[in-house]
Amino acid sequence: VGSDASAIETRAEEDGESFVLTGHKKWTTFGQIADLFLVFAKVAGQPAAFLVERETAGLSIVPIRGMHGTRASMLAELHLDGCRVPRGHLLGRPGFGISHVAATALELGRYSVAWGSVGILEACLQASQTYAAERVQFGAPLADHPLIRALIAEMIANVRAGRLLCLRAGFLQERGDPAAFAETMVAKYFCAVAAAKAAGDAVQIQGANGCGPDSAVARYLRDAKVMEIIEGSTQIQQLAIPRFELPEL
């Protein structure tokens, strides 16, 4: 259901000591190889969380291939057709599946995406520095051209800023500080946006050489775009972050 978590359509019905799940899930990370799935479904209209084992009768898995980015994630669709799971596999009881289970998973996901984006930033910087030093245009290395140096300077600053934001969010998480939630959101937002910008600039620096199917920077660009979407899109972050500083919103 994307960003609208409350719109879950998968249903779970109680049947004795079991729950019977029916629905469809898409974009399941590592769904092609996972042995255990965290599935959200509504029980009598209230969201709940369940653990569903791969071999559960009624669960079928369809690989998703040809994605724009993060192609190593081995995405899959899950089709639940009367999947019967034991009551003991209820991880978040009805009414608490989103607020207590999904929210925690999303915060950890945002944190990992923030760091992943820093990794993309660093890779873009290294690739740009190497290419700009070796590629000669108009009688001089690209690195000597002011506009190229400006793009690389921005990458350098964003790598350092993004890393510090992630470290701060991690520090607050380890302390159990309530402010960690907002700081993690800020880190994810900044790093994902900066990674997308850096990847676009890295391709621009390499020109046509950066657009080929085997180009590393082309991969960074594809992956960076995904970072702006998953675990809370850039636009969702823009809506949510001000609420922590401007309570009246």
Side-chain angles (χ1 to χ4, degrees):
V1 295
S3 299
D4 187 5
S6 64
I8 292 172
E9 296 179 0
T10 298
R11 298 289 183 265
E13 296 182 358
E14 293 188 66
D15 186 13
E17 290 302 308
S18 302
F19 284 90
V20 179
L21 278 63
T22 302
H24 173 214
K25 300 294 182 183
K26 204 171 184 181
W27 318 123
T28 305
T29 306
F30 295 115
Q32 296 180 33
I33 60 172
D35 293 319
L36 189 66
F37 298 92
L38 174 61
V39 175
F40 296 93
K42 283 187 176 178
V43 179
Q46 297 296 316
F50 299 88
L51 293 176
V52 179
E53 294 178 289
R54 186 182 190 88
E55 301 304 320
T56 303
L59 172 64
S60 58
I61 300 167
V62 180
I64 299 175
R65 298 187 174 92
M67 291 296 294
H68 175 72
T70 60
R71 296 175 179 176
S73 294
M74 302 187 75
L75 297 175
E77 294 184 26
L78 306 183
H79 295 268
L80 304 107
D81 184 12
C83 284
R84 185 177 295 273
V85 299
R87 184 174 291 275
H89 286 201
L90 177 65
L91 187 64
R93 62 187 177 89
F96 291 85
I98 299 298
S99 59
H100 287 64
V101 180
T104 300
L106 282 170
E107 183 172 7
L108 292 172
R110 278 192 290 268
Y111 185 60
S112 65
V113 169
W115 273 117
S117 297
V118 171
I120 293 174
L121 274 163
E122 182 72 42
C124 289
L125 173 60
Q126 292 177 0
S128 297
Q129 289 173 319
T130 299
Y131 189 88
E134 297 174 351
R135 175 69 166 163
V136 175
Q137 290 281 271
F138 302 103
L142 283 180
D144 288 347
H145 295 282
L147 293 178
I148 300 299
R149 295 175 73 90
L151 295 178
I152 292 176
E154 185 177 18
M155 291 183 200
I156 292 170
N158 284 342
V159 165
R160 295 178 181 175
R163 185 177 290 114
L164 287 172
L165 283 171
C166 289
L167 288 171
R168 172 170 170 75
F171 172 72
L172 293 175
Q173 286 184 21
E174 286 188 344
R175 291 180 58 186
D177 194 313
F181 185 84
E183 292 302 316
T184 300
M185 195 172 287
V186 169
K188 191 273 181 187
Y189 169 69
F190 176 87
C191 295
V193 171
K197 175 64 164 58
D201 288 344
V203 171
Q204 190 73 15
I205 288 171
Q206 295 194 17
N209 290 327
C211 297
D214 298 323
S215 165
V217 292
R219 177 189 174 188
Y220 304 152
L221 182 60
R222 295 194 303 269
D223 289 352
K225 173 46 64 180
V226 175
M227 296 300 185
E228 286 198 291
I229 296 170
I230 60 175
E231 307 300 336
S233 69
T234 296
Q235 288 69 37
I236 290 294
Q237 310 300 318
Q238 289 172 328
L239 290 174
I241 290 171
R243 293 174 183 165
F244 297 101
E245 301 292 333
L246 302 169
E248 69 274 13
L249 297 179

